[in-house]
Every structure is written in C-alpha cells, then in structure tokens.
C-alpha cells in the first residue's frame, strides 16, 4: 500500500494539550513518526488546544465533569478536521470515544508506578501523624486514606510544575506524581521515590500514550500502525475493559494494572470508597487474547463483592 506522507508544505497536524508533559508526549509522537518514515520533523505541526480541565484549576475534577474535560475540545477539533491526530495521556481518556474517532495506537508504555514526592522523606510511613498531603487524584486520595486515615489530604490541581511549586511553598508535606511523567520531562532532580505497585496500585493505563484518529483516514491509519506498540495495547485492553465495566468516570477511585509474562496476562484491579473506608481488590491471569474478558470478569466480581450500598455516595454528592 502506498501511503501519502506529510511534508513541510502539507504537514500532519498533531493536536495536544499545552502542558509541558503533554507537549513532551506530542514531541515523542512526532519523533517516532518521523523516524519510522524517514521524513523531517518539519512535516509535522504541533497544534496546542486549550481544554476545560486545564482552564478550570480551582475545583476537583469530579465537580466539573471528569475525564472528558481533558479531551473534549481536542476531539471536537479532530472531528472537524482542524487536526489530523490527537495525542493523549491514556489515564485521562474516557473509555468510550465519540462516533467517528478511533483510539487504537499506543506508544511503548513508560513506568506505570506512582512516585512519592517530598523534600526530605521517601515513604508514606515516614509521614507524621496527621500530616498534610496534596493530590488531585480521587484514586490516590482514597488509597492514602485507606492506609493512613489520619492524613489530611488537600487538593493539588495543576500540571507537574504547578504541583511541585505548591509543595515547595509548603502547602503539603508531600505529593504524588506519575513516574512516567517525571521520566518524560527529564526531571531526575525531583525528590521522588517510586512506590511499589503492591502498595499503591496505579491508575488504569498510567504511563501510556494513546493516539486518536478519524475513522476512514487510511493514510493516517497506516502511519500510526508503524509506531503502535502491541504489548502496550494488550495490557490496556484488559485494564480499560475493567475500567469500563466498573465506572469510567473520575467519580470512582479505581486502580488497575496488567502485566505480561510470555503468553500470559496478569491483571490486578481495585475499587475503593472515596473516603478510603473500604477497598476491594482482585486479580486474574490467563491468555493475552482473553485480556478484555478478564477485565470484565474481574470488574463484575468486585461489583458483586461491593453490593448495593458500596456506591451510595454517588447519589449523595
């Protein structure tokens, strides 16, 4: 098949949020495409799109609409033909795409773990009784309070740099960031300690970059196929099936991680009450091809364990 490649005169337009991390992910996508087809990086144009989630910084995500706040405007521009592809952090992506868009390309996954970030400490158990910790993640908040109900959790919205400034300003004794984000930004100077995923199971799809395209765009489909990482796609198929079956919004604390061992996929999942008072977890192992089915099965098992009262807080907020 002959692919009509972009040129500096007719570039492929890559849509992204404007945060430093989002830009780093767009640059990585551009570099991989340019290398795969041996064309200059000038054949790609980075298009920064303002999204609601980046504009509204003073309220928790669950209060202003959840995950779609980081994707809606980008997807609207993709559907309108203003951009050709959209680059996303997969942990921000809703589990269902708008009609006409496909999300089936993933770059090699970075380290999926969370990092404990503090100027002088390196672990959660080093925090004093009643210490103030900062996070904007409902999942991290619930996991922290489940382990340490004595902690005071304060809202830490914003990009990596904003949250690190809040920490430096003394608004909390520690915060939590994705190891993948710190690695992609080259921020080795940050006092961050990776947290073993047995202690804090990460967000579904954390550390993965997804690339969205219009259905029927044959040239773009062929180009993206050249940079797609199959193992990452296999892991995310299980994780996102788990998330979809439970609740794909930002209103439920959900964690999940799939790993591969030869032809076997191992999936662990967790769902918590937002106040950390209860956490349910489970795991599945089986053939990689059954990853999606395992995700659904594990989610249904946790829902059965939770019972009818587990999600009562949904109707009280």
């Amino acid at each position: 098949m002959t692919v009509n490649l972009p040129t500096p005169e007719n570039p492929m337009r890559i849509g992204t949020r404007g945060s430093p991390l989002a830009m780093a992910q767009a640059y990585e996508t551009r570099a991989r495409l340019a290398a795969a087809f041996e064309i200059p990086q000038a054949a790609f144009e980075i298009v920064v799109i303002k999204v609601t989630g980046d504009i509204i910084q003073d309220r928790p995500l669950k209060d202003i609409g959840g995950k779609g706040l980081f994707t809606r405007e980008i997807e609207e521009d993709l559907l309108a033909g203003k951009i050709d592809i959209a680059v996303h952090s997969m942990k921000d992506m809703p589990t269902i795409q708008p009609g006409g868009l496909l999300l089936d390309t993933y770059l090699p996954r970075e380290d999926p773990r969370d990092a404990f970030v503090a100027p002088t400490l390196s672990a959660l158990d080093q925090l004093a009784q009643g210490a103030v910790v900062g996070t904007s993640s409902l999942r991290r908040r619930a996991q922290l309070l489940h382990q340490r109900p004595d902690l005071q959790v304060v809202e830490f919205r914003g990009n990596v740099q904003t949250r690190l400034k809040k920490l430096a300003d003394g608004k909390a004794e520690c915060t939590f960031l994705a190891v993948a984000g710190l690695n992609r930004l080259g921020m080795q100077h940050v006092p961050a300690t990776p947290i073993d995923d047995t202690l804090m199971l990460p967000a579904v799809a954390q550390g993965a970059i997804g690339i969205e395209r219009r259905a029927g765009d044959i040239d773009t489909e062929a180009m993206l196929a050249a940079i797609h990482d199959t193992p990452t796609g296999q892991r995310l198929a299980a994780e996102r099936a788990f998330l979809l079956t439970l609740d794909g919004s930002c209103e439920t604390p959900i964690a999940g991680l799939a790993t591969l061992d030869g032809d076997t996929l191992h999936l662990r999942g967790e769902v918590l009450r937002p106040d950390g008072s209860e956490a349910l977890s489970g795991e599945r192992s089986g053939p990689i091809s059954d990853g999606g089915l395992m995700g659904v099965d594990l989610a249904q098992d946790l829902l059965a364990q939770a019972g009818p009262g587990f999600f009562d807080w949904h109707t009280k907020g």
Side-chain angles (χ1 to χ4, degrees):
M1 167 182 176
T2 301
V3 179
N4 294 311
L5 297 174
T7 64
E9 295 73 33
N10 186 27
M12 172 180 277
R13 297 158 298 173
I14 302 174
T16 178
R17 294 163 59 192
S19 72
L21 178 56
M23 295 297 287
Q25 295 177 161
Y27 295 150
E28 179 178 344
T29 302
R30 178 180 66 182
R32 289 180 180 274
L33 284 168
F37 291 93
E38 299 181 337
I39 54 179
Q41 293 198 8
F44 302 89
E45 177 187 354
I46 306 293
V47 180
V48 175
I49 300 166
K50 288 187 177 181
V51 298
T52 304
D54 290 330
I55 296 170
I56 301 176
Q57 294 282 331
D58 58 350
R59 283 181 282 164
L61 291 176
K62 65 182 181 64
D63 293 344
I64 55 174
K67 291 192 176 189
L69 294 168
F70 292 114
T71 61
R72 190 175 301 121
E73 289 86 354
I74 296 175
E75 290 178 327
E76 287 172 355
D77 281 3
L78 184 56
L79 282 168
K82 295 179 181 179
I83 56 174
D84 300 303
I85 60 174
V87 179
H88 303 284
S89 291
M90 281 305 300
K91 72 174 182 177
D92 293 333
M93 288 300 288
T95 47
I96 298 175
Q97 276 56 64
L101 298 183
L102 295 174
L103 180 62
D104 56 5
T105 302
Y106 307 107
L107 301 188
R109 192 176 196 172
E110 248 284 4
D111 189 329
R113 294 176 295 173
D114 288 305
F116 177 90
V117 183
T120 59
L121 306 176
S122 60
L124 188 63
D125 59 11
Q126 296 174 1
L127 289 168
Q129 194 81 1
V132 177
V133 304
T135 180
S136 62
S137 164
L138 197 64
R139 169 191 61 87
R140 289 174 180 146
R141 174 188 291 264
Q143 289 173 323
L144 291 167
L145 292 174
H146 184 67
Q147 296 181 51
R148 290 282 305 271
D150 62 285
L151 295 176
Q152 298 181 53
V153 184
V154 297
E155 188 70 22
F156 254 40
R157 285 287 315 282
N159 61 36
V160 171
Q161 289 77 5
T162 300
R163 283 180 276 170
L164 288 173
K165 185 178 188 306
K166 289 180 179 180
L167 183 63
D169 290 343
K171 295 184 178 179
E173 293 182 45
C174 73
T175 189
F176 300 83
L177 298 169
V179 173
L182 293 171
N183 288 348
R184 288 193 172 110
L185 288 168
M187 301 184 76
Q188 286 77 20
H189 62 284
V190 172
T193 305
I195 304 171
D196 192 285
D197 56 45
T198 59
L199 299 176
M200 183 177 276
L201 196 63
V204 164
Q206 186 158 297
I209 296 171
I211 306 172
E212 196 172 23
R213 62 180 172 86
R214 284 186 297 277
D217 186 341
I218 304 303
D219 288 327
T220 296
E221 179 182 4
M223 289 188 68
L224 293 182
I227 62 170
H228 173 64
D229 185 67
T230 297
T232 297
Q234 293 166 334
R235 295 169 68 185
L236 264 56
E239 293 177 29
R240 282 172 61 80
F242 172 73
L243 179 65
L244 175 62
T245 306
L246 277 172
D247 173 12
S249 73
C250 276
E251 297 180 18
T252 306
I254 296 171
L257 181 64
T259 55
L260 303 179
D261 181 10
D263 295 329
T264 299
L265 182 143
H266 183 60
L267 173 67
R268 288 178 291 140
E270 181 180 40
V271 59
L272 308 95
R273 289 183 183 267
D275 63 2
S277 60
E278 189 175 0
L280 302 171
S281 61
E283 55 188 85
R284 294 287 187 277
S285 290
I288 291 174
S289 58
D290 289 345
L293 296 174
M294 284 191 282
V296 172
D297 184 61
L298 177 56
Q300 290 176 337
D301 182 37
L302 295 185
L303 286 170
Q305 290 182 48
F310 190 88
F311 297 100
D312 280 355
W313 46 267
H314 253 316
T315 59
K316 296 175 182 177

